Amino acid sequence: MPRPYVILNAAMTLDGKIATVTGDSRISCDADLDRVHRLRAESDAIMVGLGTVLADDPSLTVRRVRGRNPIRVVVDREARTPPNAKVLRGPAKTIVAVSRKAKPQRIKRLRAAGADVIVEGAEKVNLRRLLEELRSRGVRKLLLEGGSTLNWGMLEQGLVDEVRVAVAPYIAGGANAKTLVGGAGFAKVRESAELKLSRVTRVGRDLLLIYQVAGVRGAEKAR
Ligand SMILES: NC(=O)c1ccc[n+]([C@@H]2O[C@H](COP(=O)([O-])OP(=O)(O)OC[C@H]3O[C@@H](n4cnc5c(N)ncnc54)[C@H](OP(=O)(O)O)[C@@H]3O)[C@@H](O)[C@H]2O)c1
């Protein structure tokens, strides 16, 4: 079954943090934010994990440039997205992808708040099947905007095609500060996601690195 082309985009400090220990995630510069909004406008959907919705309450709309709003997708195992979250408001359509663990009452509440709820997977959301479902609904290009846990879930299963990272000139430190990719991690370097550098550019004060995902041996093993 076909799935969308997936671009993982994030802003991180030089030491790989996507938020500080206190959760401050305003990392990239204005020029990079413009780039992200252009990328959003070129995408059919933007996907984030529940942790990002709870931490940042993002709108996930196109505001800094002119362009259409992509569909917003929240991966949320137990349907815990607050019904008053910004991601459920505004002009764009929102899909909340939940697992069968989600209580019907919570699903009902999200539907009442305007979300389209997709139930996919027993314990966790089955990300591959979710992507296939999104593709069948016309999503060809999907922008994955984090956070750390969902980035791992997608990479681990070999569901990311391209990585775009803006490296901001800061070092945040903090053993518990969220990094670009969290989760369990690959045991060996040779089993990790292997990338091929395709472009390096300066965007304002940040450095934009664009990579193609060459392969994920660990993912092939897990299948
Ligand atoms: N700098 C940047 O570019 C950037 C971008 C985005 C986010 N961030 C930062 O990243 C942090 C959030 O990262 P995070 O790791 O805490 O959260 P996250 O990855 O946004 O969301 C994690 C949650 O999503 C749900 N989830 C993930 N994979 C799932 C799956 N396969 N099936 C079902 N549910 C799944 C789980 O919810 P359950 O708990 O219900 O299982 C999980 O706890 C925030 O501090 C945010 O500011 C930074």
Side-chain angles (χ1 to χ4, degrees), residues 75-93:
V75 183
D76 173 7
R77 194 165 53 105
E78 294 182 76
R80 291 193 293 134
T81 298
N84 63 349
K86 285 190 194 147
V87 76
L88 297 177
R89 287 189 245 144
K93 184 179 161 184

Side-chain angles (χ1 to χ4, degrees), residues 10-11 18-19 23 25 27 49-52 55-56 75-78 80 124-125 127 145-150 178:
I18 59 168
S25 62
I27 291 172
L50 172 69
T52 297
D56 300 344
V75 183
D76 173 7
R77 194 165 53 105
E78 294 182 76
R80 291 193 293 134
K124 284 181 155 195
V125 173
L127 295 172
E145 286 205 36
S148 197
T149 310
L150 183 61
K178 299 277 178 185

Side-chain angles (χ1 to χ4, degrees), residues 9-13 17-20 22-28 48-56 74-80 97-99 120 123-127 144-154 157 178-180 182-183:
N9 185 82
M12 68 177 198
T13 59
K17 310 295 187 190
I18 59 168
T20 65
T22 65
D24 182 12
S25 62
R26 179 71 164 80
I27 291 172
S28 62
V48 297
L50 172 69
T52 297
V53 170
L54 296 179
D56 300 344
V74 180
V75 183
D76 173 7
R77 194 165 53 105
E78 294 182 76
R80 291 193 293 134
V98 306
S99 72
E120 193 64 85
E123 292 282 326
K124 284 181 155 195
V125 173
N126 183 320
L127 295 172
L144 170 61
E145 286 205 36
S148 197
T149 310
L150 183 61
N151 287 350
W152 163 254
M154 291 285 288
Q157 292 182 53
K178 299 277 178 185
T179 58
L180 178 64

